Amino acid sequence: MSTASIEAQERSRAFARVIGPYVATFTSVYAIRLPALEDLINDLFAQPVMVFFLGALMLAGGLIIIGGHRSWRGPLAVTVSLFGWFVALRGFLLVANPEAIQSGVDATMLSPTAMVVARIFFGVMAVIGLLLTYVGWFTRPVVPQPSMPTTMTT
């Protein structure tokens, strides 16, 4: 398998420098404070305009990532691309069917087991955010190695 070009790797690292700290910050807060955020979540869903606006912003942000990052070579590139698709899909669902999202959130907040699973999920996402931050800020691109031509001897 060949390595992505230096330009594609730099683009992935640039996206990781932004996405990593964002994901690490917010998912850490969610993992720690999720039960205390119930009123905030209820207030958000009580204002359909805000839900629509949030969905529109998430859809736009996801589409920016999808459009600006089209590389799928290597774990960093795959993570960045999947994050873009995930954000775009969540934004679309908030615009198209906010009731489904709200019912999922409500079910999670009411179930102790689902709450633990959600907190673990957010904790894992925080670690992924920290890894993206590290790779984005502190690593160098891998220089592609030219493939060795095969020679046939007779």
Side-chain angles (χ1 to χ4, degrees):
M1 176 182 257
S2 63
T3 306
S5 71
I6 297 292
E7 180 183 294
Q9 290 180 54
E10 285 295 336
R11 190 175 307 116
S12 294
R13 289 178 66 243
F15 274 100
R17 281 192 296 271
V18 175
I19 294 169
Y22 180 84
V23 169
T25 300
F26 280 96
T27 56
S28 294
V29 170
Y30 296 158
I32 295 165
R33 295 191 55 219
L34 189 58
L37 296 175
E38 187 171 5
D39 289 338
L40 180 70
I41 294 166
N42 290 335
D43 289 346
L44 172 68
F45 281 109
Q47 301 175 34
V49 171
M50 291 303 293
V51 173
F52 187 84
F53 185 66
L54 177 62
L57 284 176
M58 290 175 70
L59 179 59
L63 291 174
I64 288 169
I65 295 169
I66 292 166
H69 185 270
R70 298 184 344 219
S71 176
W72 287 85
R73 288 186 181 217
L76 176 62
V78 169
T79 303
V80 169
S81 294
L82 286 175
F83 181 78
W85 281 100
F86 179 68
V87 171
L89 179 62
R90 280 184 15 204
F92 173 77
L93 289 174
L94 274 174
V95 170
N97 196 358
E99 296 82 15
I101 301 295
Q102 183 177 7
S103 67
V105 170
D106 291 343
T108 300
M109 299 303 273
L110 292 173
S111 167
T113 304
M115 185 70 79
V116 169
V117 170
R119 291 177 94 174
I120 290 170
F121 170 77
F122 288 128
V124 169
M125 291 300 294
V127 170
I128 291 171
L130 290 172
L131 289 171
L132 285 174
T133 302
Y134 173 77
V135 171
W137 285 101
F138 302 110
T139 63
R140 303 259 183 245
V142 176
V143 178
Q145 299 294 326
S147 59
M148 299 291 289
T150 57
T151 57
M152 298 184 78
T153 57
T154 53

